[in-house]
Amino acid sequence: MAEEGSNDEPADHGAAEPDHGGVTADHGAAAPEVWHRVHPLTPILESLGVLVGIFIAAAYGLQNFMQTAIEDLARGDGVDLGFAGWLRSHPLVILGVVGGLILILLITALFSWMAWKVMGYRIDSEAIYYRRGLLSKKLRKARLDRVQSIDLQQKLLPRILGMAELVFDVAGGTDSNISLKYLSKKRAETLRDELLSAVRAKKQGAQQGTTTSTAGQSAEVASTSAPGIVNAPAVDPSADPSAGSSETGAVSGIAGEPALDRTVPERRDDSIGVRLSKRLGSLADGASHEAESSINELLAPYQVSANVNEEGEIIRVPVHRVVVSSLLKSETIISLLVVLLVIGVSIALLVLGLTEAFIPMIVAVIPGLFTAFSAFRKNLDNANFVVKLGENGLAVNHGLVSTSRKVIPLDRLQAVCLHQPLLWRKAGWWKVEFNIASAGGSGESNILLPVGDIDQALLMVGLALPEPQLPDDISAATLVRSAMYDRKSEDPQAGRAEELFHGQPRSSRLIDPLVWKRRAYAVTGSLLVLRMGVLDRRVDFVPHVRVQSMSYHQGPLMRSLGLGTVAVHSTAGPIDPRVTHQSVDEAKQFFSEHSERTRLARQRYDEEARTAKEGRL
């Protein structure tokens, strides 16, 4: 297989056009430096979309021809092959078509070769640069100190060819990410490791420089004056602005937040996974026994234990479990039921002798089968789901056809939820998702656990959240199980935990006739816990220090029933936490108290970091 080469030709120069979050979009190239070329097959793989479109159009035409032919045969007529006969009598037309296709392939090959010649990347001590474009040239730049994570992805065809793609999650807008396509898998893995080391060194250097800076050039002043950096909003208009800001000594918000600041000791409101990472650092040196002991010590309130193998794996989801859980999802079942219904109606029409209606309906089943398969295949992306605890968070590998490797930074998780579809109850399976402060696109996966038993769910929730800070007679496991199963929880202390939950008033049963008895919220020393859903159970967890802001809402119907809803704002993601349909007095009291609670929690969280940094000066 051809390897990537290097190109020392001088790059073109052009005026840089600033983009989001430290990424620069150019219509020229960078300074004259050594550029490394990507894999020679990259332009061809990127143009496969056009070929797939042509194939789909041809398949659609073939389907119409076959449908017409079958209908003609069902009526006793012969298949019209007049066009095929005309082609046989005009061989020059066939030669012209074949010659045209060969010419198109040659032009495509020439264009791909020229496009590959101008594609490339280079790396220096400050940033990574990626250029491409034959007619319209573009250069993108990602500063190393703004890189949040580097994911390695392999779609089906690149995987077969031994190629991989590096995706750089860069702080900024949704257009900030850079995809480096394509490298050989070995080169991509090596480059990823090198760049992760460079990113860590860059951020640690920036942190050390911050702690030794003078008062007039403190990081606090820089974070409020630097262009392009936006602080998170306070939890309340009258609250202290520090309630939504990031740690002192680090750039505020998601733009520039370090992957994991080990210069700050463990804090009470850090998630258990962050505290564990600070204790152990990287597990790549065979520290599995120490890791297992530390994980089990920190997760003791959740009454679960982790088995860490020599490679640092803490969870591996079997393929068959993902397959079965995918089949038990509502979208898959609905698609299959529709297909079966159409087939049943078609057979009934055939029995009644309506053959003219039977043939079109049978042919129409084909797109439905593709739809059902697409819904099923989407869930297979989470097959071979493996979780390892790494230096900067959870390292996740997944994929059956296309594979992906990414790091989920636990210190940037804003909310976590547990979800159990109706048909998963018999197996006792749960899904764990999250919201994260990230510039990633909307198509990115927000899954901590695609499907797992109760112990695996508790393990992932425990790693992603801080200790709940509960009374001594209630454990974290008891609280979470009560949130998951409400009054059906078999925990011996479930009754005591249930006392922490505030349910909806009876007046809300007119709006929520099915769920008003289950919906409830509980407030602990560090978490807001929301219990929802009857058919599909759901539990949301929002740490106090991660609340962005809050809002109170009351529509006309709610006003007539004396109800109100409080939205607890988080970052974009699958979780939209709301304390729903409480009495007006209860909703307003919760809004006032929780605004102050989250403000003080964030203030204390930042003060612990500030004190630790000042103590090292």
Side-chain angles (χ1 to χ4, degrees), residues 328-374:
L328 294 178
K329 285 190 173 181
S330 57
E331 59 266 25
T332 305
I333 292 177
I334 291 174
S335 299
L336 290 176
L337 287 178
V338 170
V339 171
L340 293 176
L341 177 62
V342 173
I343 293 176
V345 172
S346 302
I347 294 175
L349 292 174
L350 180 61
V351 172
L352 294 174
L354 301 175
T355 56
E356 294 183 359
F358 166 75
I359 300 299
M361 292 195 69
I362 286 295
V363 174
V365 167
I366 298 176
L369 290 173
F370 277 110
T371 302
F373 177 75
S374 298

Side-chain angles (χ1 to χ4, degrees), residues 184-499:
S184 66
K185 182 181 177 182
K186 181 178 179 181
R187 174 58 181 157
E189 291 175 340
T190 303
L191 183 61
R192 179 178 181 271
D193 293 340
E194 293 174 353
L195 287 173
L196 284 175
S197 299
V199 168
R200 284 195 294 267
K202 191 71 177 176
K203 291 183 177 180
Q204 290 172 1
Q207 292 169 10
Q208 294 173 359
T210 298
T211 58
T212 58
S213 62
T214 62
Q217 297 176 333
S218 66
E220 223 177 318
V221 175
S223 66
T224 58
S225 61
I229 299 175
V230 181
N231 289 326
V235 295
D236 188 75
S238 61
D240 190 314
S242 64
S245 63
S246 63
E247 303 172 4
T248 304
V251 183
S252 64
I254 65 171
E257 185 177 354
L260 185 59
D261 189 355
R262 290 186 175 79
T263 63
V264 179
E266 293 180 26
R267 289 171 286 185
R268 193 179 185 187
D269 288 322
D270 277 333
S271 71
I272 291 177
V274 169
R275 293 165 61 187
L276 184 64
S277 295
K278 288 182 177 180
R279 290 186 186 185
L280 299 180
S282 176
L283 299 182
D285 298 328
S288 59
H289 178 72
E290 182 182 0
E292 184 173 311
S293 175
S294 298
I295 289 177
N296 294 335
E297 175 188 348
L298 290 173
L299 290 176
Y302 289 91
Q303 299 175 7
V304 292
S305 59
N307 296 318
V308 184
N309 63 17
E310 295 180 356
E311 298 179 355
E313 294 180 4
I314 57 176
I315 281 183
R316 176 180 286 272
V317 181
V319 175
H320 71 271
R321 181 182 294 178
V322 176
V323 172
V324 174
S325 65
S326 301
L327 293 174
L328 294 178
K329 285 190 173 181
S330 57
E331 59 266 25
T332 305
I333 292 177
I334 291 174
S335 299
L336 290 176
L337 287 178
V338 170
V339 171
L340 293 176
L341 177 62
V342 173
I343 293 176
V345 172
S346 302
I347 294 175
L349 292 174
L350 180 61
V351 172
L352 294 174
L354 301 175
T355 56
E356 294 183 359
F358 166 75
I359 300 299
M361 292 195 69
I362 286 295
V363 174
V365 167
I366 298 176
L369 290 173
F370 277 110
T371 302
F373 177 75
S374 298
F376 175 71
R377 182 186 175 280
K378 182 179 180 182
N379 295 313
L380 289 184
D381 290 340
N382 293 314
N384 294 322
F385 197 92
V386 178
V387 181
K388 300 179 182 179
L389 186 64
E391 184 175 359
N392 292 315
L394 295 178
V396 175
N397 295 353
H398 61 90
L400 184 62
V401 179
S402 300
T403 62
S404 177
R405 303 179 188 180
K406 66 183 300 182
V407 175
I408 302 174
L410 293 173
D411 56 335
R412 285 163 49 206
L413 297 190
Q414 307 297 302
V416 177
C417 82
L418 288 164
H419 178 222
Q420 185 185 54
L422 177 63
L423 297 178
W424 287 13
R425 289 191 187 182
K426 188 69 174 178
W429 293 336
W430 289 83
K431 179 180 181 180
V432 186
E433 297 177 288
F434 61 89
N435 286 359
I436 189 170
S438 173
S442 59
E444 291 192 359
S445 173
N446 287 65
I447 295 177
L448 275 174
L449 181 67
V451 55
D453 56 34
I454 180 67
D455 290 336
Q456 291 175 327
L458 287 173
L459 173 61
M460 299 308 294
V461 167
L463 289 174
L465 296 173
E467 289 186 9
Q469 301 174 22
L470 294 163
D472 293 338
D473 58 341
I474 304 177
S475 68
T478 300
L479 174 71
V480 177
R481 288 175 183 270
S482 293
M484 297 164 78
Y485 301 110
D486 55 79
R487 297 162 188 83
K488 299 178 181 179
S489 173
E490 298 178 356
D491 192 283
Q493 301 297 322
R496 181 72 179 92
E498 192 63 28
E499 295 176 1

Side-chain angles (χ1 to χ4, degrees), residues 18-342:
D19 201 356
H20 301 286
V23 179
T24 304
D26 258 11
H27 295 288
E33 297 285 348
V34 175
W35 287 83
H36 303 278
R37 291 195 180 121
V38 296
H39 198 280
L41 295 178
T42 296
I44 297 176
L45 290 176
E46 289 194 328
S47 62
L48 283 179
V50 178
L51 299 178
V52 171
I54 295 174
F55 175 79
I56 292 176
Y60 179 75
L62 181 60
Q63 177 189 345
N64 290 336
F65 173 77
M66 290 179 63
Q67 179 177 347
T68 303
I70 293 174
E71 291 175 352
D72 291 341
L73 291 174
R75 290 194 300 265
D77 300 332
V79 179
D80 185 9
L81 299 176
F83 182 70
W86 181 84
L87 284 178
R88 284 198 302 269
S89 62
H90 296 78
L92 293 180
V93 175
I94 299 177
L95 292 176
V97 171
V98 173
L101 291 175
I102 294 175
L103 180 61
I104 291 174
L105 291 176
L106 291 176
I107 294 175
T108 302
L110 177 62
F111 182 85
S112 298
W113 178 79
M114 295 173 64
W116 172 71
K117 288 285 289 184
V118 300
M119 296 176 70
Y121 66 94
R122 72 177 180 90
I123 305 168
D124 59 25
S125 60
E126 299 295 327
I128 179 169
Y129 306 84
Y130 180 49
R131 70 178 186 185
R132 57 178 301 157
L134 184 59
L135 302 178
S136 178
K137 296 184 179 180
K138 181 177 290 188
L139 170 73
R140 303 201 73 184
K141 168 187 172 184
R143 283 169 35 194
L144 295 181
D145 60 350
R146 306 292 289 277
V147 173
Q148 304 290 350
S149 64
I150 306 175
D151 303 333
L152 189 147
Q153 298 182 0
Q154 285 186 289
K155 297 180 181 179
L156 176 59
L157 189 54
R159 182 181 180 186
I160 294 174
L161 297 174
M163 298 157 61
E165 170 187 1
L166 288 181
V167 180
F168 297 83
D169 180 4
V170 185
T174 57
D175 234 3
S176 303
N177 293 357
I178 289 182
S179 296
L180 186 56
K181 303 177 183 178
Y182 284 98
L183 307 175
S184 66
K185 182 181 177 182
K186 181 178 179 181
R187 174 58 181 157
E189 291 175 340
T190 303
L191 183 61
R192 179 178 181 271
D193 293 340
E194 293 174 353
L195 287 173
L196 284 175
S197 299
V199 168
R200 284 195 294 267
K202 191 71 177 176
K203 291 183 177 180
Q204 290 172 1
Q207 292 169 10
Q208 294 173 359
T210 298
T211 58
T212 58
S213 62
T214 62
Q217 297 176 333
S218 66
E220 223 177 318
V221 175
S223 66
T224 58
S225 61
I229 299 175
V230 181
N231 289 326
V235 295
D236 188 75
S238 61
D240 190 314
S242 64
S245 63
S246 63
E247 303 172 4
T248 304
V251 183
S252 64
I254 65 171
E257 185 177 354
L260 185 59
D261 189 355
R262 290 186 175 79
T263 63
V264 179
E266 293 180 26
R267 289 171 286 185
R268 193 179 185 187
D269 288 322
D270 277 333
S271 71
I272 291 177
V274 169
R275 293 165 61 187
L276 184 64
S277 295
K278 288 182 177 180
R279 290 186 186 185
L280 299 180
S282 176
L283 299 182
D285 298 328
S288 59
H289 178 72
E290 182 182 0
E292 184 173 311
S293 175
S294 298
I295 289 177
N296 294 335
E297 175 188 348
L298 290 173
L299 290 176
Y302 289 91
Q303 299 175 7
V304 292
S305 59
N307 296 318
V308 184
N309 63 17
E310 295 180 356
E311 298 179 355
E313 294 180 4
I314 57 176
I315 281 183
R316 176 180 286 272
V317 181
V319 175
H320 71 271
R321 181 182 294 178
V322 176
V323 172
V324 174
S325 65
S326 301
L327 293 174
L328 294 178
K329 285 190 173 181
S330 57
E331 59 266 25
T332 305
I333 292 177
I334 291 174
S335 299
L336 290 176
L337 287 178
V338 170
V339 171
L340 293 176
L341 177 62
V342 173

